[in-house]
Amino acid sequence: MTSTPDFLSHLNPSQRQAVEHFCGPLLVVAGAGSGKTRALTYRISNLVLTHRINPENILAVTFTNKAAKEMKARIEKLFADRIAQEKHGKPLDLLAPYEQTKLRSHVYKTITKPLWIGTFHSLCARLLRMEIHKYQDEQGRKWERNFSIFDESDVQSLIKDIVVNKLNLDDRKFPPRSVRFAISNAKNQGWSPDELEANQQDFRGRVIAEVYRAYQDGLAANNALDFDDLIRVLVLLLKQNEQTLAYWHQQFHHILVDEYQDTNRTQYDMLSLLATNGADAKTFKSWQNRSVFVVGDADQSIYSFRAADFRILMGFQQDFGDDLPDDDTRTMVKLEENYRSTENILQAANVLIDNNTERIDKVLKPTRGKGEPIYCYRADDELQEADFVVGQIRQLEQQHPEVQWGDFAILYRTNAQSRAFEETLVRWAIPYTVVGGLKFYDRREVKDILAYLRLIVNPADSVSLKRVINTPRRGIGKTTMDRLTQAAQELGVPTWEILSDEATVKTLASRGSRNILGFVDMIRLWQSQVDTLPATEIIQGILDNSGYIRNLQDQDTDEAEDRIGNVKELYNAAQQFAEENGDDSLLSFLANAALASDADDKEDSTTVSMMTLHSAKGLEFPIVFLVGIEQGLFPNFRSLDDPAALEEERRLCYVGITRAQERLFLSHARERRLYGSREPAIPSAFLSELPRDLIETNTPTAIPSQGIEMFSSAPPQKKLPNTNARDWAVGDRLVHKGYGLGEVTHIFGAGNKICLAVKFPNLGKKIIDPNITVLERVE
């Protein structure tokens, strides 16, 4: 082991402590803007440089492809700069272009390419391409290595067919989208159809379990997996096959996980299996030359609707660590220095989030100046609110030459709030982008060509076959296809197998057989070359042979021209993927395209950004407008009588506040149009939790008084005859049988339906229902 180079000297003490950790488990509690990506990047670099760990023995999991790409780029630059100094005595940027390219190529081949860096889905897909043939599910279903990855529209199509046609269910009682959500949730819990049925024993649960069984049959028949299966199937395979688990346990000596608070149970199972070789994490002791390094922040956990469970992060110390108090532990480091926001913004965020009870105590510490006060604006309605926001954007852009449109972000709780802002921005000719619109890989023409490509790679993919066999129209009617599909189902074979037999096609399709056989010949031509030609050539060949481009050109419309541009951009995407990854195969490109996400899109620096708070996670902007902060809107109505959901809403507000670097504006309206009529709006209780001395307003009523009831919109409850249901007050001292002496810090609810947040020495805050818990008041 060589001495540690001083490339770590500019890390702060906490970052350095995390980076220099070598073996064993470590939880890095990384506050917003605290440099967590830097810590991950330098840790990987330190493992390779200082401890001589082979890059192929390092597994780093991110939550977006964009984050994975950024991490690789940072590592590549760090190593390239280091080698440039060692070999040439100057920084990389000062070398001749030829030398820079040569050096970067060397780093890519020896360091970044062997590293296993990617999202859960992309890494699992990569592992399953090698191992899935060893897997068999509880019903004996099997998959081959050339499986397709069904996107959401493919999944919806399959589930709708099962609900309506196969099981003859009423799709009003069993909406396919609702059924899909229930199945996805079951998969994220790691449940099979039988386990779902056992956990949902009512009639609806039994029916959804039956749809789930048929859905898995459909996936297997198409040799396809959905996104949830990519992780679930790998976990089941690792549990099934001890040799396979042992192999990958030996492969991955050091495991790093970003955004650990966003993991779900299936993802946790995968990480635990690989780290411990299937042993109980609490008793696993074989940490020689091995580590689990997770980075996250419970205060930024906002994805419970996607089955993310921040309690996994909260339980890391019990599962993997030493479970000692924060001041004594050797298995937790806190990154609290914030490099993003001004002191005023951070102080507001700290005070707000301290009202939550389920968290790991930390305080964001400013490294920048105090900054401008936060401004809270109370508008008469949503139109005046939009006028205020756009007026501020125009004023700041005019007063400060260095400010660009891309420096502004408007964040809201729901997409429906965007309309008033969009109309006002249009009126003033200010360019804007609504993040979350129809993405590139969701566009019809792109999905059409991807379906052609997936059929070439995986002939069993009947969903893709059905999409493209008559796209563009080639005289193959629905009746003909139904006849062929029915024959395939009755024989228990993929539809492609029926189409591939000339005699069968001529018998069943009669007049349409010529067109079908022509289509089959075209697909077979490219199937025969899929292992030898790059993805770009196959894409170009399909565009030419299928008549897809020619059909669009014949339409001669602006829309058709745009669609041609999108199809051509798919070719560019394949070319870019090959250049960036050194892999020009069609199979690899399709896996990458299937796993592309909204969060991977580049932010546009030339337009004002508009997005929901959930979409804003991981981003930062100089100037942020957090709008519609009203009771029932933010926090939303569903959380008003659920303390746990309310805490997540507060975390969402915390995330919104900490997106701001320089300026933060808050706004709410006195009334708001809902479903056509105007309704009075109440300022959010979150506003009352912010420190008033940091906030300027346009009216004294812009900030509500302290102690606004979180349940103010809930109907009054009849008081039950319980001696514990009484009028509690903040500051009351009490004794709990299990926790001892405590003090009430916050009250949720009204009337009989209240919960208390009570702070207990050495235990932190607990949420307690006084209606069902014996509490003794201390006078």
Side-chain angles (χ1 to χ4, degrees):
M1 186 170 71
T2 63
S3 60
T4 304
D6 209 27
F7 74 99
L8 305 179
S9 61
H10 56 286
L11 300 177
N12 69 41
S14 295
Q15 289 172 337
R16 184 157 192 156
Q17 182 184 352
V19 167
E20 290 186 323
H21 172 83
F22 182 32
C23 293
L26 189 72
L27 166 63
V28 180
V29 180
S34 63
K36 68 180 181 68
T37 304
R38 169 178 282 196
L40 286 160
T41 301
Y42 276 81
R43 172 165 176 76
I44 291 171
S45 303
N46 194 53
L47 286 172
V48 175
L49 284 169
T50 304
H51 301 288
R52 300 300 181 192
I53 302 300
N54 190 323
E56 68 180 15
N57 295 136
I58 298 173
L59 174 71
V61 186
T62 66
F63 267 77
T64 66
N65 291 315
K66 178 183 174 183
K69 189 175 179 180
E70 180 185 352
M71 197 179 297
K72 284 181 181 178
R74 288 197 191 189
I75 292 169
E76 187 174 297
K77 187 174 188 312
L78 193 152
F79 276 91
D81 278 333
R82 180 179 175 83
I83 296 171
Q85 288 287 357
E86 290 176 350
K87 286 192 172 184
H88 305 282
K90 60 177 72 171
L92 178 71
D93 294 345
L94 297 181
L95 296 180
Y98 166 75
E99 289 293 340
Q100 289 188 37
T101 302
K102 181 179 176 183
L103 204 157
R104 281 184 176 275
S105 176
H106 170 74
V107 171
Y108 169 74
K109 290 176 182 176
T110 58
I111 306 295
T112 53
K113 187 178 181 182
L115 286 169
W116 288 71
I117 298 181
T119 64
F120 274 104
H121 293 99
S122 64
L123 291 168
C124 288
R126 184 176 169 188
L127 289 168
L128 288 173
R129 292 287 179 203
M130 295 182 252
E131 304 285 10
I132 197 170
H133 61 288
K134 300 175 184 175
Y135 171 70
Q136 181 171 302
D137 77 0
E138 71 283 351
Q139 295 297 319
R141 305 180 188 98
K142 301 198 71 169
W143 284 259
E144 298 301 323
R145 291 173 174 172
N146 62 336
F147 59 85
S148 294
I149 302 172
F150 273 11
D151 64 16
E152 193 57 33
S153 66
D154 299 324
V155 168
Q156 290 288 349
S157 176
L158 181 55
I159 288 181
K160 184 176 182 179
D161 182 60
I162 292 168
V163 168
V164 176
N165 299 322
K166 187 176 179 66
L167 299 181
N168 295 315
L169 299 172
D170 185 343
D171 60 2
R172 291 169 298 181
K173 293 181 179 178
F174 295 92
R177 287 188 180 277
S178 175
V179 173
R180 157 63 175 154
F181 180 82
I183 292 173
S184 178
N185 189 56
K187 288 188 175 188
N188 284 319
Q189 297 292 329
W191 293 345
S192 67
D194 289 346
E195 289 166 327
L196 172 61
E197 187 169 14
N199 284 280
Q200 303 284 330
Q201 295 179 352
D202 61 355
F203 173 73
R204 180 176 177 80
R206 290 195 298 273
V207 171
I208 290 176
E210 187 62 27
V211 177
Y212 185 2
R213 290 188 188 94
Y215 174 59
Q216 291 304 108
D217 287 340
L219 288 175
N222 283 279
N223 189 31
L225 299 176
D226 62 20
F227 272 33
D228 299 320
D229 272 337
L230 289 174
I231 303 171
R232 188 182 75 97
V233 168
L234 180 63
V235 167
L236 293 171
L237 168 61
L238 295 176
K239 288 180 177 179
Q240 253 180 35
N241 194 311
E242 291 182 3
Q243 287 183 319
T244 302
L245 174 58
Y247 177 86
W248 291 108
H249 171 71
Q250 288 302 318
Q251 173 75 33
F252 301 130
H253 299 174
H254 297 276
I255 299 174
L256 301 89
V257 189
D258 193 10
E259 305 285 8
Y260 192 62
Q261 78 280 350
D262 293 332
T263 50
N264 62 38
R265 286 292 158 185
T266 312
Q267 292 163 343
Y268 169 81
D269 287 345
M270 168 198 158
L271 296 168
S272 183
L273 284 165
L274 291 174
T276 68
N277 199 25
D280 185 348
K282 292 182 175 67
T283 58
F284 184 74
K285 303 297 181 187
S286 304
W287 291 110
Q288 297 86 356
N289 297 314
R290 181 173 293 282
S291 69
V292 170
F293 181 94
V294 303
V295 182
D297 179 10
D299 291 339
Q300 297 185 72
S301 177
I302 59 175
Y303 295 123
S304 65
F305 64 94
R306 296 180 186 168
D309 187 351
F310 74 97
R311 290 170 298 182
I312 292 171
L313 180 146
M314 299 289 287
F316 181 89
Q317 287 286 66
Q318 291 79 39
D319 289 350
F320 290 99
D322 53 28
D323 204 16
L324 294 175
D326 292 5
D327 292 338
D328 302 323
T329 181
R330 292 174 176 268
T331 56
M332 180 170 70
V333 174
K334 296 179 183 179
L335 304 185
E336 298 177 292
E337 291 184 56
N338 177 282
Y339 298 93
R340 175 188 298 159
S341 307
T342 62
E343 183 179 340
N344 283 341
I345 293 169
L346 293 182
Q347 191 174 340
N350 286 330
V351 172
L352 174 77
I353 202 63
D354 193 48
N355 288 282
N356 271 11
T357 60
E358 292 191 273
R359 61 188 298 262
I360 296 173
D361 284 338
K362 73 173 191 320
V363 176
L364 294 178
K365 300 171 183 175
T367 59
R368 305 178 57 198
K370 196 168 185 66
E372 296 285 338
I374 298 166
Y375 191 87
C376 183
Y377 182 79
R378 184 178 189 185
D380 286 338
D381 57 23
E382 73 275 12
L383 301 178
Q384 190 182 71
E385 181 184 40
D387 285 339
F388 165 74
V389 169
V390 176
Q392 288 295 314
I393 290 173
R394 293 175 60 234
Q395 182 178 322
L396 290 167
E397 192 268 342
Q398 290 167 4
Q399 291 177 349
H400 304 279
E402 74 280 7
V403 172
Q404 303 177 32
W405 297 127
D407 293 334
F408 299 97
I410 303 172
L411 310 182
Y412 35 77
R413 181 63 181 83
T414 65
N415 274 309
Q417 292 171 251
S418 72
R419 183 186 59 82
F421 298 99
E422 289 190 66
E423 290 177 354
T424 309
L425 288 165
V426 168
R427 190 165 71 243
W428 289 103
I430 296 174
Y432 69 92
T433 300
V434 178
V435 176
L438 195 61
K439 298 301 173 185
F440 178 73
Y441 286 105
D442 291 334
R443 293 167 188 165
R444 183 179 68 182
E445 56 276 12
V446 175
K447 291 174 72 67
D448 286 344
I449 302 306
L450 286 175
Y452 271 106
L453 301 176
R454 282 166 37 179
L455 179 62
I456 290 169
V457 168
N458 175 20
D461 185 348
S462 298
V463 171
S464 292
L465 171 62
K466 189 175 180 180
R467 182 179 186 110
V468 300
I469 193 166
N470 202 37
T471 305
R473 294 186 183 281
R474 46 176 64 92
I476 302 172
K478 182 179 183 301
T479 303
T480 299
M481 275 309 299
D482 287 346
R483 195 179 300 129
L484 292 164
T485 302
Q486 185 178 354
Q489 290 172 346
E490 290 178 3
L491 292 173
V493 299
T495 306
W496 177 258
E497 195 168 316
I498 296 293
L499 299 186
S500 298
D501 185 78
E502 184 176 346
T504 301
V505 171
K506 286 182 176 179
T507 300
L508 294 176
S510 60
R511 287 182 298 176
S513 61
R514 181 181 173 188
N515 294 330
I516 291 174
L517 294 172
F519 171 81
V520 169
D521 286 343
M522 176 185 66
I523 298 299
R524 276 179 170 163
L525 169 66
W526 297 108
Q527 284 175 343
S528 67
Q529 301 183 73
V530 75
D531 293 327
T532 55
L533 288 182
T536 49
E537 289 192 32
I538 297 174
I539 291 171
Q540 189 61 58
I542 282 294
L543 292 177
D544 293 340
N545 295 163
S546 68
Y548 198 93
I549 290 284
R550 186 167 59 253
N551 177 261
L552 289 173
Q553 289 170 338
D554 290 344
Q555 294 176 30
D556 194 25
T557 64
D558 289 342
E559 180 188 356
E561 196 62 36
D562 288 341
R563 294 177 64 197
I564 290 171
N566 287 331
V567 169
K568 290 180 176 178
E569 185 61 26
L570 184 66
Y571 178 95
N572 296 338
Q575 192 170 50
Q576 180 180 333
F577 175 80
E579 292 170 356
E580 291 178 351
N581 295 275
D583 184 349
D584 62 5
S585 71
L586 180 59
L587 190 64
S588 296
F589 171 66
L590 285 175
N592 177 73
L595 297 167
S597 69
D598 289 359
D600 300 324
D601 292 343
K602 295 179 180 178
E603 299 95 54
D604 189 345
S605 63
T606 63
T607 65
V608 174
S609 294
M610 299 177 60
M611 68 192 80
T612 64
L613 285 151
H614 284 100
S615 297
K617 177 80 185 327
L619 304 179
E620 58 185 37
F621 302 90
I623 304 160
V624 167
F625 295 87
L626 189 49
V627 302
I629 312 180
E630 296 152 21
Q631 204 72 345
L633 184 58
F634 190 30
N636 65 18
F637 278 114
R638 291 187 303 278
S639 69
L640 293 179
D641 58 355
D642 183 344
L646 188 61
E647 291 213 349
E648 178 152 337
E649 289 287 296
R650 188 179 286 109
R651 292 194 293 268
L652 191 57
C653 188
Y654 174 81
V655 165
I657 290 172
T658 54
R659 298 312 93 196
Q661 297 169 300
E662 309 286 345
R663 298 292 305 273
L664 175 63
F665 294 86
L666 312 173
S667 66
H668 62 92
R670 183 176 55 80
E671 64 176 32
R672 190 172 293 273
R673 188 183 299 278
L674 295 173
Y675 307 110
S677 63
R678 293 214 161 271
E679 302 289 342
I682 302 170
S684 171
F686 295 156
L687 292 173
S688 72
E689 296 174 354
L690 299 175
R692 291 192 169 214
D693 58 320
L694 302 181
I695 302 176
E696 293 181 352
T697 68
N698 66 320
T699 171
T701 58
I703 301 288
S705 300
Q706 285 281 350
I708 182 173
E709 292 176 342
M710 285 289 182
F711 298 84
S712 58
S713 64
Q717 300 289 322
K718 184 176 180 181
K719 192 161 185 174
L720 298 175
N722 187 316
T723 55
N724 287 308
R726 45 145 305 194
D727 293 330
W728 291 92
V730 172
D732 280 358
R733 299 173 73 224
L734 54 82
V735 174
H736 183 282
K737 186 176 180 181
Y739 302 138
L741 183 66
E743 181 178 337
V744 177
T745 63
H746 211 92
I747 298 173
F748 305 113
N752 187 64
K753 193 168 184 179
I754 67 168
C755 289
L756 309 177
V758 184
K759 187 170 185 178
F760 296 95
N762 302 319
L763 293 174
K765 292 178 183 174
K766 305 287 183 184
I767 294 180
I768 296 172
D769 185 347
N771 291 287
I772 59 174
T773 307
V774 177
L775 301 173
E776 212 174 298
R777 186 180 181 188
V778 178
E779 298 293 338

